[in-house]
Amino acid sequence: MRSGKQTNRASQAYVPVVANRIRRVNWKRGIPLYLMIFPGFLYFVIFKYIPMGGLVIAFQEYDPFSGFIESPWVGLDHFQRLFTDADFWTLLRNTLMLSALNLFLFFPAPILFAILLNEAKKSWFRRIVQTVIYMPHFLSWVVVVSITTLLLATQDGAINNLLAGMGYERIEWLTSSDYFRGVYVAQNIWKESGWNAIIFLAALAAVDPTLYEAAVVDGANRWRQVWHITLPALKSTIVILFILRLGQIMDLGFEHILLLQNPVNLDVADVFDTYVYRNGVLQGNFSYSTAVGIFKSVIGLLLIVLANRLAKAFGHEGVY
């Protein structure tokens, strides 16, 4: 009996030693992965988390010469100024309208591209199309807007010259409020849809080909295969990316909007990003600019939390 008890005690004492050795071995094996992760981790710490300490200036009348500590506190004055500004509701309307167009027109475009490429049978054709639709992503918005200006200029634009040659009137694409939103969304689709389709193509690459073979045996045509196999395979990816997209609903791309703006279309083109640049940064109102940024971030956070809960309520995986 004593020997049995001694054996049990020895085995119990041996288990933690083995577990510690296993942890050390696993840690050593993971060192290359930790080294790969470290630059990205360092980037987020330096450029994302440490600057969050500067959010305190939204509650101060920040003076660069006085610093964070000695700048006077003003509480919620900057937020009150934002919500009582005469342009607030115009900015909110324009921002939400453009974001809604992005959600319902731009967001589905990469999904459609991915499905169409997945259905292509010729590998050489698929590679050529992928290269062509990926290339615009590497162009800056300055180049994209410049190309658009050359095509849509009222007097000497290529498209207006074509319309005039066909006997139609010239259209003021860039100097009319009626066409700004359409031009903005069309540029987004042309530039970023191909690049955003990569993640959906990666999800489709994991689909078992035997599922399509079984569907063919059962008599399913191409549309049925897309509806019952391809789309269900993309469902979780679509839900997660849609939730993340809602978090960026107040961010429309400052450079893109600014380059398309002009005094004529400002009533539909002015959004929070350009408003902050014009009334905050250029005038040195850093505290006010930070307050607007906090407002945008809070809206994005609330939308992510709400969308995540709705996704889980409907049986989908959320982002957390």
Side-chain angles (χ1 to χ4, degrees):
M1 294 295 294
R2 291 182 179 179
S3 60
K5 292 181 179 180
Q6 292 175 354
T7 303
N8 292 333
R9 291 176 181 175
S11 61
Q12 292 175 358
Y14 183 69
V15 169
V17 175
V18 174
N20 290 332
R21 289 181 179 177
I22 294 175
R23 281 194 291 266
R24 286 197 296 268
V25 171
N26 291 336
W27 185 84
K28 291 180 180 179
R29 290 179 178 176
I31 288 178
L33 294 177
Y34 300 148
L35 293 177
M36 293 174 61
I37 295 172
F38 182 73
F41 173 78
L42 195 63
Y43 165 79
F44 278 98
V45 170
I46 295 177
F47 295 103
K48 300 297 182 179
Y49 289 99
I50 293 179
M52 289 180 67
L55 296 178
V56 69
I57 69 175
F59 307 95
Q60 296 176 324
E61 193 61 53
Y62 177 68
D63 181 9
F65 298 99
S66 300
F68 295 144
I69 299 177
E70 298 183 4
S71 294
W73 289 87
V74 295
L76 300 176
D77 287 358
H78 297 300
F79 294 94
Q80 183 178 2
R81 173 187 170 186
L82 170 64
F83 298 140
T84 57
D85 193 296
D87 295 329
F88 174 77
W89 292 108
T90 301
L91 297 171
L92 184 62
R93 181 199 63 198
N94 293 340
T95 302
L96 294 180
M97 180 63 71
L98 292 175
S99 295
L101 291 174
N102 276 336
L103 281 176
F104 293 106
L105 297 178
F106 169 59
F107 182 77
I111 303 173
L112 179 61
F113 285 159
I115 293 175
L116 293 176
L117 285 175
N118 186 66
E119 292 297 316
K121 296 301 181 182
K122 301 294 184 180
S123 59
W124 61 267
F125 175 77
R126 186 184 305 170
R127 289 195 297 268
I128 293 175
V129 173
Q130 284 179 331
T131 303
V132 171
I133 65 176
Y134 291 171
M135 288 178 61
H137 169 77
F138 300 99
L139 300 177
S140 69
W141 280 116
V142 175
V143 175
V144 174
V145 175
S146 298
I147 294 174
T148 305
T149 302
L150 292 175
L151 291 174
L152 301 180
T154 304
Q155 296 301 323
D156 54 357
I159 294 180
N160 271 318
N161 287 339
L162 179 62
L163 292 175
M166 298 173 61
Y168 296 99
E169 294 184 0
R170 295 178 179 269
I171 300 176
E172 297 183 356
W173 301 99
L174 302 176
T175 56
S176 174
S177 301
D178 297 333
Y179 299 103
F180 171 81
R181 291 166 179 159
V183 172
Y184 168 79
V185 176
Q187 287 179 334
N188 273 337
I189 293 175
W190 180 78
K191 184 177 185 297
E192 299 295 345
S193 292
W195 183 259
N196 291 341
I198 293 177
I199 191 169
F200 297 107
L201 288 171
L204 291 177
V207 179
D208 189 354
T210 58
L211 294 176
Y212 293 100
E213 296 173 2
V216 172
V217 173
D218 291 338
N221 56 24
R222 305 297 296 181
W223 293 109
R224 288 292 182 181
Q225 293 175 35
V226 170
W227 183 260
H228 294 288
I229 299 176
T230 305
L231 287 178
L234 293 175
K235 182 172 63 174
S236 60
T237 305
I238 293 173
V239 171
I240 292 175
L241 292 181
F242 185 79
I243 294 173
L244 296 177
R245 177 70 65 177
L246 285 177
Q248 302 174 357
I249 198 169
M250 303 297 287
D251 296 317
L252 296 169
F254 163 74
E255 183 183 3
H256 185 194
I257 296 288
L258 184 66
L259 291 170
L260 285 177
Q261 273 187 0
N262 56 63
V264 180
N265 63 19
L266 199 62
D267 59 324
V268 297
D270 200 16
V271 295
F272 284 107
D273 291 333
T274 54
Y275 172 79
V276 166
Y277 173 73
R278 188 174 60 254
N279 295 288
V281 177
L282 292 182
Q283 298 181 13
N285 297 324
F286 302 111
S287 295
Y288 184 59
S289 302
T290 305
V292 178
I294 291 178
F295 166 73
K296 292 168 49 183
S297 300
V298 170
I299 296 298
L301 177 61
L302 292 177
L303 288 175
I304 285 181
V305 172
L306 179 60
N308 189 75
R309 290 188 176 182
L310 289 176
K312 289 189 173 182
F314 286 97
H316 301 291
E317 293 183 3
V319 295
Y320 63 88

